[in-house]
Amino acid sequence: MLLQMDIKKRFADFELQVNCELAAGKCGVFGPSGSGKSTLMHILAGLLSPDEGRIVLDETILFDSDAGINLPPQQRRIGVVFQQAHLFPHMNVRGNLLYGWQRTAVARRQGTPEAIIEVLGLSPLLERRVTSLSGGERQRVALGRAMLACPRLILMDEPLNGLDQELKLQIIAYLDRVLTEFGMPLLFISHSLQEMELMTDEVLVLGQGTVQQHLNTDELLRPEQRGLFSNGAPSLVACS
Ligand code: ADP
Ligand code: MG
C-alpha cells in the first residue's frame, strides 16, 4: 500500500500535524497516550475531518481540503478494529462476520468467509451470541468482520489492550496468518514496543501530535532507540 498524508487538526488544547508516506504492508503508529494516535486513526477512517490537508491511499484521494474532497467512511473501504470490539449485539457471530461481506460487491470480494473463519479459528463460535464471548474471542470476531468487508486497508487502534500476555500472543499469531494469507495491508496503532516488534515493518513515532521519527521497525528496536522509550526521554515520554 501507499498511504500519503499531510494533515492538520486542531483541538482546543492539542494539535495534530502529520506529513508522511507509509509504504510497508504492515505499518505501525507508536506513541504514548495522548500523542494523537486515535485522532489520526479517526481521520484516516473518515470519522473525523482534518482542518486542512490531503490523504491519498494508493490511487484514491480520501480527503483533499483544496479540492473539497472528503470521502465518507463507507466509501473509503478501510476496515477498523478498536480496543473494544464494537460488535452488533443483536446478531450472533455468523451474522456479525457476514455483515460486511453481504454488503460488498461480488467483484470486490477477496478470500471467502470459510477461509477467514478457518484461519481465525472461529467455526466453533459461529452460532454464539456475541454477548457471551470472551475479550479475545470478541477481538477475533471483530477482525474477521473487518476483513470480510474486503477493505483496502485495516486500521487497528490498540486492539490488544486489556488482554493478557498469552491471549495477546495468540491473537497476534491469528492476525499474522490472516494478513499474510490474504495480503491485506495493516496500520497498527499501539503504545507497546513489543506489539510494534511483532506486528509491523515500518513505524511512525508520534509525540505531542507530531511525527517524532519515521523508521523501519528494526531501527526502532535497536538498543539505543529502545533506551529512548524505556527511560522516558523528554520529548518522547515513556511508553509502557
Ligand atoms: P492517543 O490515542 O495517542 O492516546 P488521542 O488522539 O486520543 O491520543 O488524543 C490526543 C489529544 O487530543 C488528547 O490531548 C485529547 O484530549 C485530544 N482530543 C482528542 N479528541 C478530542 C476532541 N474531540 N476534542 C478535543 N480534544 C480532543
Ligand atoms: Mg488512543
Side-chain angles (χ1 to χ4, degrees):
M1 72 155 172
L2 181 61
L3 177 60
Q4 299 164 288
M5 47 190 156
D6 180 6
I7 46 139
K8 275 189 194 158
K9 175 76 184 176
R10 194 190 303 268
F11 292 128
D13 297 318
F14 181 84
E15 191 181 33
L16 180 76
Q17 185 172 355
V18 174
N19 180 0
C20 73
E21 278 189 20
L22 293 171
K26 290 191 211 168
C27 291
V29 178
F30 176 70
S33 178
S35 57
K37 304 183 299 298
S38 294
T39 301
L40 180 61
M41 169 174 182
H42 282 81
I43 285 174
L44 293 174
L47 303 170
L48 185 69
S49 295
D51 298 327
E52 58 185 273
R54 189 174 148 89
I55 306 170
V56 183
L57 175 58
D58 297 323
E59 311 286 87
T60 308
I61 300 172
L62 305 183
F63 181 86
D64 186 335
S65 51
D66 288 344
I69 296 171
N70 190 4
L71 284 194
Q74 65 276 13
Q75 282 177 27
R76 295 191 180 202
R77 298 185 44 232
I78 291 181
V80 287
V81 178
F82 296 96
Q83 180 182 341
Q84 302 291 337
H86 297 278
L87 301 174
F88 303 122
H90 58 290
M91 294 180 187
N92 64 11
V93 169
R94 183 193 301 279
N96 270 275
L97 286 171
L98 294 181
Y99 184 86
W101 178 258
Q102 285 160 347
R103 286 161 182 75
T104 301
V106 173
R108 282 223 183 107
R109 288 179 178 175
Q110 295 169 269
T112 62
E114 293 73 23
I116 287 175
I117 287 166
E118 153 72 22
V119 174
L120 290 172
L122 291 171
S123 8
L125 303 178
L126 290 176
E127 308 310 324
R128 291 268 294 275
R129 296 182 58 83
V130 295
T131 45
S132 75
L133 302 177
S134 70
E137 288 167 343
R138 292 173 66 87
Q139 278 310 44
R140 267 150 64 204
V141 175
L143 175 62
R145 186 181 60 178
M147 295 204 57
L148 281 168
C150 305
R152 50 188 153 209
L153 170 67
I154 291 226
L155 291 181
M156 304 186 103
D157 190 2
E158 315 237 20
L160 307 175
N161 281 14
L163 303 179
D164 64 42
Q165 181 69 3
E166 192 184 342
L167 200 54
K168 243 186 213 190
L169 294 177
Q170 188 202 87
I171 294 191
I172 285 175
Y174 279 123
L175 240 174
D176 226 21
R177 264 182 80 186
V178 83
L179 293 169
T180 308
E181 201 142 321
F182 299 97
M184 203 168 279
L186 171 71
L187 188 63
F188 188 91
I189 297 175
S190 173
H191 64 274
S192 154
L193 201 54
Q194 184 202 26
E195 291 173 20
M196 284 297 124
E197 176 171 15
L198 294 170
M199 291 309 307
T200 70
D201 296 322
E202 179 182 352
V203 178
L204 205 61
V205 180
L206 277 192
Q208 295 163 13
T210 61
V211 177
Q212 307 278 326
Q213 287 180 296
H214 180 189
L215 65 192
N216 293 326
T217 306
D218 295 348
E219 297 171 299
L220 180 76
L221 297 169
R222 286 193 189 136
E224 63 273 22
Q225 281 284 348
R226 277 181 181 270
L228 274 182
F229 305 116
S230 53
N231 296 334
S235 63
L236 290 166
V237 196
C239 294
S240 50

